[in-house]
Amino acid sequence: MAPLAIPRDLLRQAQAVADVFTAHTRVAVDAAELLTGRAALLGIAPKRQISAGGATRLLATGDGWCALTLSRADDIEAIPALLQADSADDDPWPAVRDWAAGNSAAEIAERARLLGLPVAVLGETPPAPPAVSPGWPTRTGSLAGALVADLSSMWAGPLCGQLLARAGATVVKVESSSRPDGTRGGAPEFFDWMNGGKLSYAVEFDDPRDLAALLQVADVVIEASRPAALARRGLGPDAVAARPGRIWLRITGHGTEGEKADWVAFGDDAAVSGGLVGYRQGAPVFSGDAIADPLTGLHAAAAVADSRNRGGGELIEFSMAAVAAGYRCSDVDIDVVPVRPPAGLPGRDLGADNDAVRRLVAERIDAPC
């Protein structure tokens, strides 16, 4: 098993957040397992300027460093437009590296973001706490028995949902019938780790009636899409009927203010944006595996548990880049052997629990809040 380079201080800070979650829920959480689990499951590790998953690269620019992620088919298709070329090779990275070297990091980021590509300028994002806004009447309660609508995908949001499920919440994983969570098409071990124990609910987002009913009765909502995606369907936190104590958790790559609300991000490039990298021979290298994802998922779960304890009624917004920025440190990187998560429940087939979820929603609509 290849080692991961993770700063000692980072692990210590992350475990302190895990201990906050434990204090509220009495569910023990090992931060090292969360930060290194995917690497252990898949047998991967970063290779200096290449991320552990292989989709993100650190690129030397004319005046610094940036990171670019090419993980989706649309990202690859956008490369000719990015490079202002007629076509791109099967391996686009050599041409991308050459192009990056002749441009400033800011110019690269601006052009890539116009094309909807996940990109980051090293250290562009300062640390910041989550934005917390009151939204509904409060009502205290434990997470045990709470109903969680998990609309997120990939890693940060699903990890938050997984931790809430461990605390006794009923977590409904909501996916579009036509565009399910992308991790379903990857390693089943990772999908199961993040989503085992959740109910699977497949809906059509263009016909949001079923989803609206679920959100109306949910105690916690987890979403990780750009804010406008739900708002234009009438499903944002301002549009859903009030429920005492509801907590609406929103996870974005770079926040919800201005143009940043539309910036796409994944865990590795978000970490670079926050300056969370190691250094070897004066050059930045990836620290950990998409580390902004598990860090944000852990912070989000602790924030939800704390809010639930205080009565909820809040919109909590996390920026993955800002979370990563809070872990910048001067400690040297150390080799950490990835911790393989214990075997858990398998993830459910897409839509396997549609009938059960509809019954649950109907029971909650008929019952008093």
Side-chain angles (χ1 to χ4, degrees), residues 169-204:
T170 297
V171 181
V172 178
K173 181 172 181 60
V174 181
E175 298 173 80
S176 166
S177 303
S178 56
R179 294 189 66 180
D181 187 336
T183 59
R184 280 192 180 274
E189 301 94 331
F190 179 65
F191 181 85
D192 291 349
W193 181 39
M194 287 295 100
N195 298 293
K198 301 177 184 179
L199 301 175
S200 177
Y201 192 42
V203 299
E204 294 295 343

Side-chain angles (χ1 to χ4, degrees), residues 119-337:
V119 67
V121 176
L122 177 59
E124 65 185 337
T125 300
V132 181
S133 309
W136 301 276
T138 60
R139 185 179 66 180
T140 57
S142 71
L143 283 169
L147 177 61
V148 179
D150 181 2
L151 280 64
S152 66
S153 62
M154 305 305 286
W155 195 347
L159 173 57
C160 176
Q162 175 58 230
L163 292 175
L164 300 185
R166 294 186 196 179
T170 297
V171 181
V172 178
K173 181 172 181 60
V174 181
E175 298 173 80
S176 166
S177 303
S178 56
R179 294 189 66 180
D181 187 336
T183 59
R184 280 192 180 274
E189 301 94 331
F190 179 65
F191 181 85
D192 291 349
W193 181 39
M194 287 295 100
N195 298 293
K198 301 177 184 179
L199 301 175
S200 177
Y201 192 42
V203 299
E204 294 295 343
F205 279 76
D206 291 332
D207 182 10
R209 288 172 292 183
D210 285 345
L211 180 53
L214 172 62
L215 298 183
Q216 179 183 335
V217 300
D219 299 302
V220 179
V221 177
I222 303 171
E223 55 132 321
S225 56
R226 284 172 280 188
L230 288 179
R232 65 172 174 259
R233 293 177 170 87
L235 297 173
D238 297 331
V240 176
R243 180 176 179 84
R246 177 185 291 133
I247 300 164
W248 194 291
L249 175 71
R250 174 176 287 157
I251 297 173
T252 63
H254 297 274
T256 60
E257 296 295 323
E259 63 179 1
K260 291 184 178 181
D262 292 322
W263 292 359
V264 181
F266 290 93
D268 284 302
D269 53 84
V272 172
S273 179
L276 181 51
V277 296
Y279 284 89
R280 297 287 168 83
Q281 299 178 330
V285 296
F286 285 107
S287 182
D289 171 26
I291 199 161
D293 269 312
L295 285 175
T296 303
L298 174 59
H299 275 258
V304 169
D306 180 60
S307 179
R308 181 80 172 169
N309 186 61
R310 291 183 288 103
E314 296 176 327
L315 168 65
I316 305 174
E317 298 178 296
F318 275 94
S319 153
M320 292 201 301
V323 170
Y327 284 83
R328 295 175 185 170
C329 62
S330 58
D331 192 13
V332 296
D333 284 344
I334 60 173
D335 287 340
V336 177
V337 177

Side-chain angles (χ1 to χ4, degrees), residues 8 96 200:
R8 184 179 292 107
V96 171
S200 177

Side-chain angles (χ1 to χ4, degrees), residues 145-148 170-172 199 214 217 353-366:
L147 177 61
V148 179
T170 297
V171 181
V172 178
L199 301 175
L214 172 62
V217 300
D353 302 297
N354 276 19
D355 289 342
V357 172
R358 291 189 182 109
R359 286 195 297 270
L360 181 60
V361 169
E363 291 168 1
R364 285 200 156 215
I365 287 177
D366 291 338

